[in-house]
Amino acid sequence: VPELPEAETIVRGLRRLVVGQVIERVQVIHADVLAGAPAQFKKCVSGRTIEGIERRGKNVITRLSGDRWLTVNLGMTGRLLAQMPGRPAPLFPGKHHAIRFPLEGGGVLVYDDIRRFGTVECLSGEQWSARSAALGPEPLGELFTASSLFESLSKSRSPVRSWLLDQRKVAGVGNIYANEALWGARIHPARPANQITRAEAKRLHAHLRAVLQTAIDAKGTTFRDYRTAEGEQGEYALSLAVYGQQGEKCPRCKGIVERSVIAGRSAFFCPKCQK
Ligand SMILES: [Zn+2]
C-alpha cells in the first residue's frame, strides 16, 4: 500500500520526467477512479502545462497551468508511471491503466490501478488548499516536532497505532511505517495515545522520521504492486523489522514478532521489547 515514502519516490521520478510537458488530452479508461464526471475532468486537465509535482501526505499533486491541481490518492494499488520517448518503457502491462494523459512531446503519463481504490481529481487552487489544510503536519517537515507530537497524542485515547494512521493527525503514515516506527521506539501499538510519555513521544518522533527517510532512500517498499515512476521496485521490504514478520525473531531481542488485529487492522510487534 503506497504511503509517504512511496508517494515521495513517485513524485521525484515524475518531476524529472514530466515537468514542463503539456497534457495534450485525457483518455478515461476506468471512470470509477475519478471523483467527478469524466467530461468535467477532461476539460479541467486537457491542454494544461505540468508546472510542478509535489507530495502531501500519501497524495501525489500535479500543479497545472491556470491554477488547476491534479491530485492522486494512490489507494491500495495505484501507480503513476511516465513513458517518455527515448527512454525504456516501464515494464507494466496496459491491462490496468485507468487514466492516460498523452503529452504533446510524444510521452504519456499513466495512472494504473489494479484494484481501483485510488482517486484522481482535478481541483482549483482554493479547493486543494482546503483539502490540504484538513491533513495533519508532514512528519518530515519542520512543524512536526517531538513536543507537538506529544501534545497531540495526549489529547487522544485511541491506540497509538490507530492515531498514527489518522491522516488528520499526521499526514502520510500508513500501517507499514506506523508499525516499524513503534517497534523502533519500543512502544506497543495498542497503547492509548494519551498514555505515551514525553520521553516515548520523543523516541517515536525520531524513529518515525528515520524510518520514513530511510524508506525514501530505498525508494519505498514493494510487496507486490507498488512501483516507482520508472517502473522499478522499492527495496525497503528487506529492512522491515516487524511488518509482515510474524513468527520471525525480533532483530533487537530474542522475542518472536506477533501479529494481532487492533482496531480492525493488523499490528505487528515484539511482545518482549515493546511495552
Ligand atoms: Zn524485541
Side-chain angles (χ1 to χ4, degrees):
V1 179
E3 303 181 25
L4 185 156
E6 291 75 34
E8 179 65 27
T9 303
I10 288 169
V11 162
R12 291 179 184 187
L14 289 180
R15 207 179 266 153
R16 277 197 302 272
L17 296 169
V18 302
V19 169
Q21 297 274 338
V22 176
I23 297 174
E24 186 186 71
R25 61 203 160 89
V26 180
Q27 298 171 304
V28 176
I29 298 139
H30 292 293
D32 52 357
V33 300
L34 294 175
Q40 200 183 0
F41 178 77
K42 286 181 183 182
K43 207 176 148 194
C44 188
V45 172
S46 298
R48 295 190 192 270
T49 304
I50 297 174
E51 292 183 338
I53 303 199
E54 294 156 29
R55 180 190 58 73
R56 178 78 174 99
K58 306 176 189 176
N59 304 289
V60 177
I61 314 300
T62 303
R63 183 162 46 84
L64 304 174
S65 52
D67 197 30
R68 287 293 178 275
W69 299 71
L70 175 61
T71 69
V72 177
N73 182 307
L74 299 160
M76 296 274 288
T77 54
R79 305 165 174 180
L80 270 165
L81 303 123
Q83 289 180 318
M84 304 306 285
R87 296 183 66 99
L91 294 174
F92 64 107
K95 204 167 127 189
H96 299 292
H97 289 187
I99 315 278
R100 292 169 56 91
F101 303 91
L103 306 168
E104 280 188 4
V108 58
L109 174 64
V110 178
Y111 180 66
D112 172 279
D113 196 342
I114 296 167
R115 298 183 66 181
R116 301 212 295 277
F117 290 134
T119 309
V120 181
E121 282 180 274
C122 183
L123 304 174
S124 67
E126 206 176 323
Q127 286 172 318
W128 167 240
S129 295
R131 213 55 89 69
S132 178
L135 296 172
E138 284 292 326
L140 295 174
E142 285 175 9
L143 295 175
F144 183 72
T145 62
S147 17
S148 73
L149 174 61
F150 175 70
E151 296 301 328
S152 194
L153 285 167
S154 68
K155 291 176 193 138
S156 166
R157 280 175 295 183
S158 302
V160 60
R161 199 283 314 266
S162 309
W163 190 95
L164 286 168
L165 298 184
D166 184 345
Q167 301 300 299
R168 296 167 300 181
K169 302 287 197 290
V170 57
V173 181
N175 208 21
I176 299 174
Y177 302 107
N179 280 286
E180 292 295 304
L182 288 167
W183 176 81
R186 287 176 275 129
I187 298 170
H188 193 286
R191 285 265 303 281
N194 61 2
Q195 286 177 21
I196 304 295
T197 66
R198 192 174 277 277
E200 287 171 330
K202 200 174 169 186
R203 291 205 302 265
L204 180 57
H205 176 261
H207 282 279
L208 184 58
R209 284 165 81 115
V211 159
L212 294 171
Q213 190 55 59
T214 311
I216 291 172
D217 295 342
K219 299 187 173 183
T221 302
T222 296
F223 293 121
R224 202 178 57 189
D225 301 310
Y226 158 72
R227 295 291 184 276
T228 71
E230 294 93 347
E232 297 166 349
Q233 300 202 10
E235 285 168 0
Y236 194 74
L238 301 169
S239 307
L240 295 171
V242 287
Y243 188 88
Q245 309 298 307
Q246 64 273 29
E248 302 290 328
K249 269 200 189 114
C250 166
R252 185 166 47 211
C253 72
K254 292 196 167 70
I256 300 294
V257 175
E258 279 183 16
R259 172 189 170 278
S260 73
V261 175
I262 298 173
R265 303 211 39 199
S266 292
F268 301 89
F269 57 96
C270 171
K272 209 169 166 197
C273 65
Q274 287 178 257
K275 300 295 173 195

